[in-house]
Amino acid sequence: MVVLMGVSVTSCLKGDDNTEVQAYTVAKVTDNMFAYVSFLDISGYKMISKNIVTELSNVNSGDFIYMLYTYDRKTDVDPNSQTINITVNAAQKISGNSVNGITEEMDADETYASDKPVIEISDEYSKPLMFDNYNLVIPIQYYAKENIDKHKFSLVYYTDKLKGKEENAGLTLYLRHQSEETGESLRYFSYRTFDLKEVLSAYKEEYGSFPANIIIQIEKNSLSNGEIPTKTTPVSFEYKYNDKL
């Protein structure tokens, strides 16, 4: 799928006079009634599918998805209720990724180790961000062969060392990538979401406040040789807890 700016992008189809809009976004499922699905996007708009979305027949309320959709900006948008009626053209569930709290000593266990690196999780178009207070959205570029479902991503945090080593470091997370494929050579991009409620609550209990920053340590290798680097690369972004959410 196309790399996005933030987590949402829109474009008008067939020229400026056409009112049909095509967009990509990450959204949270709020209801699923016989594959007619309702969503909430990061800006607070409610989206309601006009069509049956068979690939989302098994998603539940609270799941996150990444989708391509279309709508008519004149007839499908109700700004008063902040509702958009959409046609979902393609969708993929991106939640359900594990977040594991372990000690630093336990991290030597292969259970939590990567067997493949990632290319990048941040560039000029798309960066990690929080969908809400607890759900982290990470755009991940990586190599695969032909089946992205055989690639699993998880986050690890150290229960005995929630902060990183850097001065004024915030919550530190470690991204792990495991693959059931071999010979990966094609570059892929996708989003993944991670529920950080448990680790953020642990951080606040330990330090008395939520972190000002979240640092994601990645095993970055832009080559397709599958080698995992010995040193990780930090990617940091600002975190602000919103008590109104």
Side-chain angles (χ1 to χ4, degrees):
M1 288 189 174
V2 178
V3 176
L4 309 183
M5 183 174 294
V7 293
S8 181
V9 67
T10 61
S11 61
C12 296
L13 304 178
K14 302 176 184 177
D16 294 337
D17 294 333
N18 193 286
T19 59
E20 186 176 345
V21 176
Q22 181 181 82
Y24 299 83
T25 195
V26 169
K28 185 177 183 179
V29 176
T30 56
D31 191 30
N32 188 355
M33 183 63 70
F34 305 112
Y36 287 95
V37 192
S38 299
F39 314 95
L40 184 71
D41 79 353
I42 198 167
S43 65
Y45 263 78
K46 181 179 180 180
M47 299 179 172
I48 303 173
S49 66
K50 297 188 289 185
N51 61 313
I52 293 176
V53 190
T54 55
E55 58 261 57
L56 297 181
S57 58
N58 294 324
V59 301
N60 300 308
S61 177
D63 284 334
F64 285 84
I65 58 96
Y66 179 45
M67 65 178 173
L68 163 66
Y69 63 98
T70 54
Y71 66 94
D72 190 296
R73 61 186 176 184
K74 286 191 175 181
T75 61
D76 288 330
V77 181
D78 184 349
N80 294 320
S81 64
Q82 291 192 313
T83 301
I84 307 176
N85 296 311
I86 64 173
T87 299
V88 180
N89 305 116
Q92 176 190 18
K93 180 181 173 181
I94 60 171
S95 53
N97 307 288
S98 62
V99 180
N100 302 301
I102 61 175
T103 64
E104 189 172 11
E105 183 179 2
M106 289 171 61
D107 203 16
D109 190 327
E110 291 185 2
T111 301
Y112 307 103
S114 300
D115 55 31
K116 291 292 187 296
V118 297
I119 302 170
E120 186 62 273
I121 67 166
S122 178
D123 58 27
E124 61 179 314
Y125 298 108
S126 191
K127 301 179 184 299
L129 54 78
M130 300 299 295
F131 188 93
D132 50 31
N133 281 332
Y134 296 116
N135 288 286
L136 170 64
V137 182
I138 304 182
I140 306 175
Q141 297 180 49
Y142 59 100
Y143 287 105
K145 186 175 182 180
E146 57 186 4
N147 189 347
I148 62 173
D149 291 334
K150 292 186 177 182
H151 292 257
K152 307 300 181 184
F153 295 93
S154 62
L155 288 174
V156 164
Y157 66 93
Y158 297 149
T159 55
D160 53 343
K161 190 182 293 184
L162 293 171
K163 287 186 178 182
K165 298 177 181 178
E166 302 87 353
E167 185 178 357
N168 299 320
L171 172 64
T172 300
L173 307 169
Y174 299 85
L175 181 67
R176 300 294 158 82
H177 175 198
Q178 295 179 329
S179 170
E180 297 175 13
E181 293 189 308
T182 57
E184 296 96 327
S185 60
L186 300 176
R187 189 171 180 139
Y188 281 82
F189 170 89
S190 61
Y191 286 103
R192 292 291 187 274
T193 61
F194 300 85
D195 185 348
L196 301 186
K197 186 173 184 177
E198 184 174 320
V199 60
L200 284 167
S201 298
Y203 187 101
K204 184 180 180 182
E205 182 176 352
E206 177 72 19
Y207 300 109
S209 63
F210 288 108
N213 297 286
I214 293 178
I215 299 162
I216 306 170
Q217 296 281 355
I218 64 172
E219 295 158 322
K220 178 179 177 179
N221 187 348
S222 60
L223 303 176
S224 60
N225 57 18
E227 292 184 4
I228 299 173
T230 55
K231 292 185 179 180
T232 58
T233 302
V235 177
S236 178
F237 66 95
E238 185 178 7
Y239 175 80
K240 288 184 179 180
Y241 182 87
N242 184 355
D243 57 9
K244 295 181 179 179
L245 292 178

